[in-house]
Amino acid sequence: MSSVAQTAKITIPPDLLPEDGRFGSGPSRIRPDAAAALAAAANNFLGTSHRKSTVKDVVHRLRAGVAELFSLPDGYEVALGNGGTTGFWDAAVFGLIESRSQHLSFGAFSAKFAAGVAGAPHLEAPEIISSEPGTHPEAVANPTVDAYALTHNETSTGVSMELHRPAADGLVLVDATSGAGGLRFDAAETDVYYFAPQKCLAADGGLWLACCSPAAVERIERIAASDRWIPPFLDLGIALSSSRKDETYNTPALATVFLAVHQVEWINENGGLEWAASRCDQSADIIYTWAGSRSFTTPFVADPAIRSHVVATIDFDGVSADEVAAVLRANGIVDVESYRALGRNQLRVALFPAIPPSDIAALCGCIDYVVESL
Ligand SMILES: *Cc1c(COP(=O)(O)O)cnc(C)c1O
């Protein structure tokens, strides 16, 4: 007989433990260096006006750092605002979709945006193309559609997709919340690459950032000037003009802005997106090789080509993943539980750039220890 209460008494030997126990897929591990830098800057930065240069300079560094990180082509602009990715979805419903969008729905997050659009009375019913969890559908060129909604990495299932324009016309809107900063892509294949900084950017939540192509800027400004009613908080025209001044429409969380710029500059100084993506490749290789070589685990995503290198989902067989997660948690290793709504006997592990590959290897060793001890 075993129960979570009893098995939680297993003590993992300290020499097996990772240097940091945070493996959650969002909010995710914040590098101790970044938190220390924030503490050091606190008295001159936190609690100061977001309309003055101390904060505006940091917002400027964030916008410039993101443009460098993603090698944005000329004419692309980095906008930002409050509300996280969920807030940005509502802003997109008002300010980016002209009349009809196509959505690839292959997990909780992509489905949520599609559902939000479907409920909007000023838009036509979206075209929703779905596939089974653990796979992703392909976009299909459709002349009745003016925006294609893709997801770089479906955080709920651990599936990532390559980004390509499905058609010559139509804006390509990419939810890159868990992919941005960890996965390679060509910005020219996207019109709006948007994300929140609590995943690969190792900051806190509450903010959205969007890399907008000239075509996207044109669409935003045209809709904002039209007679469509748009709540100001969700008005991307206002967000764009505020961003150009290195401001947000209303007060942002200054700590989030600080931590995000710290991570973006850390990645850029170390070699940019290629460096960060290679680090995630290494972590992915470690965990998927491990999962493929144990009798009790299998990578959930069958096709290695779409297995995410930023969020790994590992199925368990004959061992309760919940029990393993409970023991790990009791030993200070947290947030590897599966995405609940997926309903599988599974662990989900972030492989974001802030997590060194050596910690992914240590986590695998800890899971082996726990499974042998159960
Ligand atoms: C985390 C996540 C979201 C939600 O982000 P919030 O900032 O919490 O709104 C949306 N999409 C994807 C792909 C995510 O990983």
Side-chain angles (χ1 to χ4, degrees):
M1 192 199 83
S2 72
S3 71
V4 167
Q6 283 171 315
T7 53
K9 297 213 175 68
I10 295 167
T11 301
I12 300 173
D15 60 316
L16 292 184
L17 293 173
E19 66 182 49
D20 191 313
R22 294 171 292 174
F23 292 93
S25 298
S28 73
R29 184 188 301 196
I30 292 174
R31 287 180 311 109
D33 280 359
L38 175 62
N43 291 349
N44 296 317
F45 178 78
L46 296 179
T48 72
S49 170
H50 62 296
R51 307 284 181 214
K52 295 285 183 266
S53 63
T54 305
V55 173
K56 285 173 54 150
D57 287 351
V58 177
V59 172
H60 184 79
R61 277 166 54 193
L62 179 57
R63 295 178 62 233
V66 164
E68 181 186 337
L69 176 62
F70 298 136
S71 307
L72 296 185
D74 283 349
Y76 277 60
E77 292 189 55
V78 180
L80 74 170
N82 286 316
T85 296
T86 304
F88 187 81
W89 285 333
D90 287 342
V93 165
F94 278 103
L96 273 169
I97 301 168
E98 188 111 45
S99 64
R100 186 166 196 235
S101 48
Q102 178 181 102
H103 296 255
L104 302 189
S105 176
F106 55 107
F109 293 104
S110 46
K112 211 167 167 184
F113 183 32
V117 171
H122 63 282
L123 298 176
E124 286 175 40
E127 180 185 13
I128 300 175
I129 306 176
S130 305
S131 72
E132 287 304 306
T135 68
H136 73 73
E138 299 293 341
V140 180
N142 179 344
T144 73
V145 150
D146 60 76
Y148 294 88
L150 315 183
T151 302
H152 205 177
N153 186 73
E154 187 33 273
T155 321
S156 64
T157 61
V159 169
S160 60
M161 64 179 291
E162 288 191 7
L163 303 177
H164 299 293
R165 289 190 180 278
D169 296 325
L171 297 181
V172 178
L173 316 178
V174 182
D175 176 358
T177 307
S178 57
L183 298 179
R184 296 170 188 82
F185 76 107
D186 177 359
E189 298 287 326
T190 71
D191 291 296
V192 184
Y193 187 80
Y194 62 90
F195 50 95
Q198 71 274 20
K199 299 186 183 179
C200 287
L201 295 196
D204 231 332
L207 199 70
W208 58 256
L209 292 118
C211 305
C212 303
S213 73
V217 170
E218 190 274 332
R219 175 80 62 89
I220 287 168
E221 292 182 332
R222 186 158 43 78
I223 293 179
S226 73
D227 55 12
R228 179 183 287 178
W229 176 74
I230 302 179
F233 180 70
L234 300 174
D235 187 332
L236 291 172
I238 294 176
L240 256 182
S241 51
S242 300
S243 300
R244 286 170 182 155
K245 293 186 286 182
D246 295 321
E247 294 185 24
T248 45
Y249 177 55
N250 65 320
T251 316
L254 301 192
T256 301
V257 171
F258 186 98
L259 292 169
V261 80
H262 206 272
Q263 179 77 353
V264 166
E265 291 180 354
W266 176 71
I267 294 175
N268 285 341
E269 282 159 16
N270 276 289
L273 187 59
E274 182 52 39
W275 173 79
S278 301
R279 193 167 152 100
C280 296
D281 293 344
Q282 240 181 300
S283 291
D285 184 49
I286 291 168
I287 196 164
Y288 293 129
T289 302
W290 167 81
S293 67
R294 295 295 182 273
S295 60
F296 54 90
T297 50
T298 336
F300 166 54
V301 178
D303 178 0
I306 61 169
R307 245 176 229 164
S308 171
H309 287 196
V310 281
V311 174
T313 45
I314 307 295
D315 277 348
F316 278 65
D317 183 25
V319 177
S320 160
D322 282 349
E323 218 165 293
V324 172
V327 177
L328 292 172
R329 185 171 285 279
N331 283 270
I333 297 172
V334 301
D335 300 339
V336 295
E337 291 84 1
S338 70
Y339 193 82
R340 282 296 145 206
L342 194 57
R344 296 186 71 90
N345 185 28
Q346 180 174 98
L347 294 185
R348 184 177 63 146
V349 177
L351 313 173
F352 298 148
I355 300 172
S358 55
D359 265 8
I360 297 298
L363 172 65
C364 295
C366 289
I367 297 173
D368 281 341
Y369 184 87
V370 171
V371 170
E372 275 165 31
S373 310
L374 280 175

